[in-house]
Amino acid sequence: AQSVTQPDIHITVSEGASLELRCNYSYGATPYLFWYVQSPGQGLQLLLKYFSGDTLVQGIKGFEAEFKRSQSSFNLRKPSVHWSDAAEYFCAVGGDGQNFVFGPGTRLSVLP
Amino acid sequence: DTAVSQTPKYLVTQMGNDKSIKCEQNLGHDTMYWYKQDSKKFLKIMFSYNNKELIINETVPNRFSPKSPDKAHLNLHINSLELGDSAVYFCASSESGSYNEKLFFGSGTQLSVL
């Protein structure tokens, strides 16, 4: 069965700084990979997804993620963080015939 | 219009009571889900329905019973509530249930069992 780890429980960055959130997955075949964001009191919203092709994918709100098969990683990046990016971020993996599995989440705090 | 709406947003109740959470989607999707998010933010699937048919039923106590009167609605009924049921419950939908599809989430129902 697939699994997802997000090594960082909580990250704090200053507004304007760059951001990288880590995600590692375990899956036997080519995975479907997702990043979702959850703002306080809200449901999850899809930021971006990867299925195949170009390993660098662009998403909404200026986010991008890079799939590295050799490292089983799908890290999320943003060059300049805004205060409104403070939220919980979830990496998820899916595959043929398999449920989505969400990682434990990384809470992002942004300092003014 | 809200794509996936669930009610109520907050639910506070005593142990042993029975309660229901309702969910509706206006996206025309075939598949709907219930997820449970615990106090550590861990998100786990409970059920999924495709066009009113139960597809996924994870290891969930049978006190939890989903009901789908039509493909736009998936309600969750919980009998004999326990303290450990306290969590945020999210309804979600996707177009056909394929695992490469985007999930659309409701804003959650925070259940507190006292």
Side-chain angles (χ1 to χ4, degrees), chain A residues 33-111:
Chain A
L33 294 162
F34 307 81
W35 275 100
Y36 282 84
V37 60
Q38 183 182 20
S39 298
Q42 300 297 316
L44 281 71
Q45 178 186 22
L46 181 69
L47 284 175
L48 47 78
K49 59 185 180 182
Y50 170 80
F51 302 149
S52 63
D54 192 345
T55 56
L56 184 64
V57 292
Q58 303 297 321
I60 62 171
K61 305 185 181 188
F63 285 92
E64 66 178 27
E66 186 171 13
F67 170 60
K68 293 186 178 180
R69 184 187 300 276
S70 61
Q71 298 177 18
S72 297
S73 69
F74 188 56
N75 294 349
L76 182 71
R77 301 194 294 247
K78 187 170 184 178
S80 178
V81 169
H82 188 263
W83 64 266
S84 61
D85 294 324
E88 193 87 22
Y89 291 80
F90 293 91
C91 183
V93 61
D96 291 331
Q98 300 289 330
N99 299 340
F100 286 115
V101 173
F102 284 86
T106 296
R107 183 160 63 96
L108 174 65
S109 297
V110 180
L111 298 176

Side-chain angles (χ1 to χ4, degrees), chain B:
Chain B
D1 280 346
T2 303
V4 180
S5 59
Q6 53 182 110
T7 55
K9 190 166 178 65
Y10 300 97
L11 189 51
V12 181
T13 188
Q14 300 285 334
M15 268 197 315
N17 284 351
D18 303 338
K19 290 294 178 185
S20 291
I21 307 172
K22 295 186 176 181
C23 180
E24 175 181 4
Q25 54 96 1
N26 63 5
L27 298 167
H29 288 170
D30 284 340
T31 305
M32 296 184 71
Y33 309 82
W34 278 109
Y35 281 86
K36 179 180 180 180
Q37 187 176 49
D38 63 23
S39 59
K40 295 185 178 180
K41 299 287 188 178
F42 185 66
L43 199 66
K44 187 171 170 57
I45 191 167
M46 301 173 69
F47 302 102
S48 79
Y49 270 72
N50 184 279
N51 209 358
K52 303 194 298 176
E53 181 183 341
L54 180 65
I55 302 299
I56 295 172
N57 184 353
E58 289 295 308
T59 309
V60 175
N62 56 16
R63 299 181 294 103
F64 290 79
S65 53
K67 285 188 172 50
S68 182
D70 55 60
K71 76 173 194 178
H73 295 83
L74 180 62
N75 304 322
L76 183 65
H77 188 76
I78 316 170
N79 290 327
S80 303
L81 278 155
E82 300 178 357
L83 293 176
D85 297 333
S86 295
V88 181
Y89 293 84
F90 286 99
C91 178
S93 73
S94 68
E95 192 170 336
S96 69
S98 172
Y99 295 109
N100 60 1
E101 290 176 348
K102 175 181 177 179
L103 292 173
F104 291 77
F105 283 84
S107 58
T109 295
Q110 185 165 338
L111 172 63
S112 299
V113 183
L114 308 177

